[in-house]
Amino acid sequence: QVQLVESGGGLVQPGGSLRLSCAASGRIFSINAMGWYRQAPGKERELVAGITSGGRTNYVDSVKGRFTISRDNAKNTVNLQMNSLKPEDTAVYYCNADVRPFISSAAVYAYWGQGTQVTVSS
């Protein structure tokens, strides 16, 4: 089994910064893509930022230039640095990882963290 544990959410004023972290543990041979999603009340979950094992990144347009995703392949961690936060960034943020558990199989499985609340408000 694989566990993803997130940390770093909280309450911040508009214009402030937060850093989210996610650590994967358990039966892991390798991790392909990792990413951060968010879901605001009444809205669908959306991909905020993703990063491949090779370090290629992609972002939703609304966070480009403000958020930065990074990962440490040796530690199986992914981070999201969020700057210039806006009230519309308020949501529950979820970590996602595409994990290959076994060297003997090419099968990859998607795992999710439990979510961490980010609230941007004055």
Side-chain angles (χ1 to χ4, degrees):
Q1 189 60 285
V2 174
Q3 298 81 38
L4 301 182
V5 179
E6 302 140 339
S7 61
L11 172 64
V12 64
Q13 292 185 344
S17 298
L18 282 175
R19 182 177 177 87
L20 304 183
S21 296
C22 173
S25 63
R27 187 176 293 278
I28 299 172
F29 170 67
S30 65
I31 301 178
N32 296 348
M34 302 184 81
W36 288 93
Y37 289 70
R38 67 186 178 188
Q39 187 165 20
K43 295 188 177 181
E44 294 186 354
R45 188 174 297 189
E46 67 170 350
L47 174 64
V48 176
I51 184 167
T52 67
S53 57
R56 188 172 70 247
T57 60
N58 64 285
Y59 299 90
V60 66
D61 286 346
S62 61
V63 308
K64 287 180 179 177
R66 300 188 296 123
F67 290 11
T68 302
I69 189 170
S70 61
R71 66 187 282 176
D72 185 326
N73 290 334
K75 297 181 179 179
N76 292 330
T77 59
V78 62
N79 301 306
L80 186 68
Q81 178 65 42
M82 305 185 294
N83 299 328
S84 302
L85 282 160
K86 303 176 180 180
E88 50 264 43
D89 294 318
T90 296
V92 178
Y93 284 70
Y94 297 90
C95 173
N96 170 267
D98 292 334
V99 177
R100 178 181 172 184
F102 308 105
I103 189 173
S104 58
S105 171
V108 174
Y109 304 91
Y111 291 92
W112 293 88
Q114 78 284 0
T116 185
Q117 177 70 46
V118 171
T119 303
V120 185
S121 175
S122 55

